Structure formats: structure tokens, C-alpha cells
Amino acid sequence: MKPVAAEFLGTFWLVLGGCGSAVLAAAFPHVGIGLLGVSLAFGLTVLTMAYAIGHISGCHLNPAVTIGLWAGGCFPVSGVFSYIVAQVLGAIAAAAVLYVIASGQAGFDLSAGFASNGYGEHSPGGYSMMAALVCEAVMTGFFLFVIMGATDSRAPAALAPVAIGLCLTLIHLVSIPVTNTSVNPARSTGVALFVGDWAIGQLWLFWVAPIVGAILGALAYRLVAAEQK
């Protein structure tokens, strides 16, 4: 159960750090961290946890990553369900803590989004459902490609967390305007449960697109890695 517990805590940290930066600090008067700061915050949560629990659970923190690594032959199917449950529960727990903190400020309003992911009128930039679907699938696909490449036995192991964390930062820099960036069904689910309404109605995309993209990215890496041997 130690790897499962590590995934719970790691995903908790990702959602609290990433979504927390978006909800509490992105537009804070005069010193808001903005899109760049939120992107970096998400990357830092993964980088720090990769060093902290990578040797315990592999530091997936993301159902799409777990499924992608299984599809890529890097993770046993027997561990998929327990990892996903732990990740989703960790995300919900973090969203609950974030809600308690954020609601302590006068004027707090869940309808502002609470860092939820969305498309159409709920996309930060007003992007369509198709744009969101393609963006989430492609970004998650390359995320898996980088994860598998960085953790390949032929790559420098000590630098894997840096590559993965910076990859997630880059993904957010590109896609926050499109969907508020998910590439992680657990992250999307945690905050969506508190927002309800439209966030729940659009949640399906942030499960389907990342999982499809992760599988394709993992299979692409297997193909490239096999050709290099």
C-alpha cells in the first residue's frame, strides 16, 4: 500500500500547488503570478514529488499517466485501478483543502471557476470543444513521450524529474488559454466536484482526451525506442 499512499499524497500536492496557485495567487492584487507563475507551479509540484516519491511509486500523479505507462509496457495492469483511485481521492482532498482556504476570503465565488477545466464559454480563451479535445490529447501524448524517454534506462536518471517537470510547465504555457490545462483527469475531477454544474458536464472530455493521448504517446515512444535498439 505504500506506493498507493504515495500516489495519494503526490496528487494532493499537485492539485494543491497547481490549482492553489491559480485560485489564490494568479491575479492577486499587484503581485499576481499570472499564467507564467501558474505554469511553473504545476511543473514544480511534479518535479518536487518526482524526487520525493519517484522511488516509491514512480510518481504518476495522474490516471492518464498510469494508463499510458501500462500501455507502454512500463506498469503492470494489476496496479492501475488502485493508483487511479488514490490519485482521484488525493485530488478531491486537495480541492477540499483549497476550498477551505479560498472561501476564507470575503467575496469568494465558486462560479469564477475554481481552476476548473472547460471548453466553449468556459474556456479561458473561448476555444471550441474540438480545439480542447485536440489540445488535451496532443499535450498529454507528448507528456507521456517525455516521461517514458526521461525514465528510459538509457537516459540520465537523475535528471528525469527536471525534464518531466519542465515538460508540464511548457504544456501549461501553451494550453492554459485553451482549457485551463488538464492533461490529468484527477486534477480536473477534484475541482470540478466543488464547482458542479458545467464543470461536471464537461468533465468527460478531460478524462477521454488525456487518456487517449497518453496511450498514443506511450505507443509512439515504444515505436521510436524499439527502432533505436
Side-chain angles (χ1 to χ4, degrees):
M1 293 300 293
K2 290 181 179 179
V4 174
E7 284 297 304
F8 174 90
L9 294 172
T11 310
F12 181 100
W13 183 236
L14 182 146
V15 173
L16 184 63
C19 294
S21 70
V23 172
L24 304 174
F28 189 76
H30 310 302
V31 292
I33 61 175
L35 184 153
L36 179 59
V38 173
S39 300
L40 185 59
F42 271 100
L44 287 173
T45 62
V46 171
L47 189 154
T48 52
M49 271 298 158
Y51 281 118
I53 66 170
H55 55 288
I56 301 172
S57 69
C59 192
H60 298 187
L61 318 184
N62 182 337
V65 170
T66 296
I67 293 172
L69 291 176
W70 162 74
C74 300
F75 190 71
V77 68
S78 60
V80 170
F81 179 75
S82 59
Y83 264 42
I84 291 176
V85 170
Q87 291 155 0
V88 172
L89 291 178
I92 294 171
V97 170
L98 180 57
Y99 176 79
V100 171
I101 296 171
S103 62
Q105 183 185 50
F108 170 71
D109 184 7
L110 272 176
S111 66
F114 199 52
S116 289
N117 303 113
Y119 55 83
E121 64 178 308
H122 301 293
S123 159
Y127 287 85
S128 68
M129 181 182 72
M130 182 57 68
L133 189 67
V134 171
C135 183
E136 287 289 324
V138 171
M139 293 297 168
T140 313
F142 275 95
F143 192 35
L144 259 292
F145 193 91
V146 170
I147 289 172
M148 290 186 66
T151 57
D152 192 305
S153 60
R154 294 165 289 178
L159 295 178
V162 177
I164 296 168
L166 288 177
C167 180
L168 188 60
T169 298
L170 176 59
I171 286 170
H172 278 77
L173 287 172
V174 173
S175 60
I176 283 178
V178 183
T179 62
N180 224 14
T181 309
S182 170
V183 301
N184 185 336
R187 168 260 188 272
S188 297
T189 301
V191 291
L193 290 179
F194 284 83
V195 175
D197 193 25
W198 64 266
I200 297 294
Q202 295 190 354
L203 185 59
W204 67 269
L205 186 144
F206 303 103
W207 275 86
V208 173
I211 289 174
V212 171
I215 293 172
L216 293 176
L219 295 178
Y221 184 77
R222 287 188 68 177
L223 178 62
V224 171
E227 289 177 347
Q228 289 180 339
K229 292 182 180 179

